[in-house]
Amino acid sequence: MFSFYITDEEFNAESRVTSHHHLTLGQRTKESSNPKAGFINSMSYKAMKCGLRFKPPAIILLYEDVTAGKYRQRSMPIRSFSKFSDCSRAAEQLKNNPRHKRHLENVSQSQLERLYKLLKGHLNGNSLEESLEEIRRSETIDPEEDLNKLDDKELEKRKSLMDELFEKNRKKKDDPDFEYNVEVDFQQEGPVEVCGWDEASDEEF
Amino acid sequence: MSMAGDGVSDIEQEKYDADENVKIICLGDSAVGKSKLMERFLMDGFRPQQLSTFALTLYKYTTTVNGKTVLVDFWDTAGQERFQSMHASYYHKAHACIMVFDVQRKITYKNLSTWYHELREYRPEIPCIVVANKIDADLRVTQKGFNFAKKNSLPFYFVSAADGTNVVKLFTDAIKLAVSYKQNSHDFMDAVMQELENFELEKQEAVSDKEDESEDALPLQLQGF
């Protein structure tokens, strides 16, 4: 059985963010008179991987202590969490926990939330596959769903899922290849593919 | 059709009659990216004015069209679209409309016809641009045909608020269309409204007059349209 589960996919992204962060620190150090000052005063923990241990429940972080030049593993025990607990709140509390805060700076709350969901599924007697499937489902937008009909909370959930894609594809002002005015002429040459959204049966359309 | 009635009448809309002011409204379902498009166009310059009592967000923008300064108010829905309908005052005096759907969600495309229908009830003639947003999710959609715009003879843009594709073009074109509509407005409803306003004035003046010609003035003038 799995006792330790690591979600790899997002960590690459996380560590990219971290190294970017690290880079800015490095640049700042260069300018200061004391080349090490930047590192002493700021944390340089580079999160690499993050996972869940079922027994006893803990969130495990693999990270690089850049100052010391060492790789370390940190266990963050999960206490007072039951199958009735709120995963999003638990993730938020862990992220803001003064003991772990600095290590988790570059680990997103949604990633931690996912780990809590896995634990919750486990406490409910679900297999790892079942829990993963459930998480996947809750994190996918149903293209048929009419979001106009949702209440605020549910709509916000969908919006934050969409925001993940938005942020992923987003060109920010500080990006080296950012252009304010991007014009693309999508000339449709030859026979245009039918998109299927214009069926003849939809007469009102 | 009710005039800028009820709660929202508190918002000063008279200014949209002044030459240098135009009002552009955004329409479309929840979460199609209307606000994200606004923010991408205005970048750091955006100072949205949240009018939460009216479920409305106003973005102000100043530009020049043909050497003249134009003050643009962009109206964004702020959740009001959830009722699948906007308050009449949202459409009142609008000079152009940007109508958005999400290429990843068919229902937002299907709902365009509802939005368009409501728009035309209030503003039968204003320019309206149809916008397919979120093309960054899958560029292949740009090779597909979306007939709604063609069917209604409306300009159509593929855009992405995330990577910026065609966003600036969309808004600058919308502003140009709004300005030219305003300069050459033959909008029937505008004319009728103007007539009714004049009629009200004439009626008030007529109270002291012995000869009262204003009562049959309205139908006569309306026949001219």
Side-chain angles (χ1 to χ4, degrees), chain B residues 37 98-102 129-133 155-159 170:
Chain B
L37 286 168
I98 293 171
M99 214 165 64
V100 189
F101 73 98
D102 174 351
I129 300 178
V130 181
V131 177
N133 189 28
F156 178 79
Y157 292 70
F158 282 114
V159 311
L170 162 69

Side-chain angles (χ1 to χ4, degrees), chain B residues 86-134:
Chain B
M86 300 298 292
H87 192 274
S89 57
Y90 190 77
Y91 298 98
H92 187 56
K93 291 182 197 270
H95 301 107
C97 172
I98 293 171
M99 214 165 64
V100 189
F101 73 98
D102 174 351
V103 292
Q104 296 208 286
R105 290 185 294 132
K106 181 177 173 179
I107 187 149
T108 66
Y109 178 68
K110 289 288 165 194
N111 282 339
L112 286 181
S113 60
T114 317
W115 289 117
Y116 190 61
H117 187 255
E118 184 169 275
L119 170 72
R120 286 307 179 219
E121 256 174 55
Y122 294 106
R123 305 297 284 152
E125 304 283 341
I126 63 169
C128 174
I129 300 178
V130 181
V131 177
N133 189 28
K134 308 194 190 178

Side-chain angles (χ1 to χ4, degrees), chain A residues 59-71:
Chain A
I59 285 180
I60 316 281
L61 176 73
L62 304 175
Y63 67 97
E64 185 187 349
D65 184 336
V66 181
T67 321
K70 284 185 176 156
Y71 294 100

Side-chain angles (χ1 to χ4, degrees), chain A residues 62-118:
Chain A
L62 304 175
Y63 67 97
E64 185 187 349
D65 184 336
V66 181
T67 321
K70 284 185 176 156
Y71 294 100
R72 297 185 200 279
Q73 178 175 320
R74 184 181 183 85
S75 298
M76 296 166 275
I78 301 174
R79 300 193 181 92
S80 55
F81 184 89
S82 79
K83 58 181 176 181
F84 304 110
S85 296
D86 182 333
C87 297
S88 150
R89 261 186 80 184
E92 192 185 342
Q93 278 166 3
L94 181 66
K95 207 163 152 52
N96 294 320
N97 183 323
R99 292 188 52 210
H100 307 304
K101 213 174 159 175
R102 288 170 50 202
H103 292 83
L104 294 174
E105 205 167 57
N106 296 296
V107 181
S108 74
Q109 192 178 310
S110 61
Q111 188 175 344
L112 295 172
E113 188 178 335
R114 234 168 266 147
L115 294 174
Y116 279 106
K117 281 179 181 168
L118 278 181

Side-chain angles (χ1 to χ4, degrees), chain A residues 169 173 180 182 202 205, chain B residues 41 44 109-110 136 151 166:
Chain A
N169 291 345
K173 214 182 62 188
Y180 175 59
V182 188
D202 298 329
F205 209 56
Chain B
F41 173 62
D44 295 338
Y109 178 68
K110 289 288 165 194
D136 54 277
K151 210 180 118 190
N166 291 336

